[in-house]
Amino acid sequence: MANTEAALKEAMSTIEGTIGVALVDYSSGMALGTLGGSKDLDLSVAAAGNTDVVRAKVRTMELLGLKDEIEDILITLGSQYHLIRLLTGRNHTGLFLYLALDKTRANLAMARHQLKKIEAELEV
């Protein structure tokens, strides 16, 4: 089992094209841990903003009566992918991993696969 710091380091080092990564509590919008980022990508701001995205999707699914789980949410920009992976399991309720990728260097399918693996090993 990996702790938050180890999980974020693994994401930065093993997922090609990673710009930044964060573990976020979407009940509060607070980042529990961040790694990476840039002057153009403030991970604390991204954590808070993407909390609104997650809350909106959860609320929409409830209104539609969908009895399913969100695996991940993908936001595609001109030069980046932003991947939000909701964590499941008894210790992970209300958390998501946020990953920002450089679109020219990233393999989206591999990033999703690796993020799922990191989630499985994460102990919060």
Side-chain angles (χ1 to χ4, degrees):
M1 293 290 167
N3 66 19
T4 300
E5 183 179 351
L8 297 178
K9 284 181 181 177
E10 183 177 353
M12 285 296 294
S13 66
T14 62
I15 301 175
E16 184 70 30
T18 299
I19 300 166
V21 61
L23 177 64
V24 183
D25 176 349
Y26 68 82
S27 61
S28 68
M30 299 295 297
L32 304 177
T34 63
L35 194 59
S38 68
K39 66 177 178 64
D40 297 324
L41 179 63
D42 182 327
L43 290 171
S44 295
V45 172
N50 284 304
T51 293
D52 292 336
V53 172
V54 171
R55 287 178 186 161
K57 188 59 189 173
V58 168
R59 190 171 37 254
T60 301
M61 287 181 63
E62 289 171 356
L63 292 171
L64 292 171
L66 297 176
K67 305 292 183 216
D68 210 343
E69 292 182 1
I70 300 169
E71 288 184 9
D72 51 39
I73 299 168
L74 173 63
I75 300 167
T76 305
L77 305 178
S79 62
Q80 297 176 356
Y81 294 124
H82 291 222
L83 187 59
I84 300 166
R85 175 137 188 114
L86 277 72
L87 279 70
T88 58
R90 67 181 193 283
N91 295 331
H92 298 149
T93 303
L95 302 177
F96 67 87
L97 282 165
Y98 166 71
L99 184 68
L101 299 163
D102 178 329
K103 202 172 181 180
T104 62
R105 296 183 8 229
N107 177 322
L108 186 56
M110 289 303 295
R112 289 183 69 221
H113 175 75
Q114 189 64 23
L115 203 56
K116 184 176 181 178
K117 180 177 173 275
I118 290 168
E119 173 199 359
E121 297 170 357
L122 180 63
E123 187 65 41
V124 180

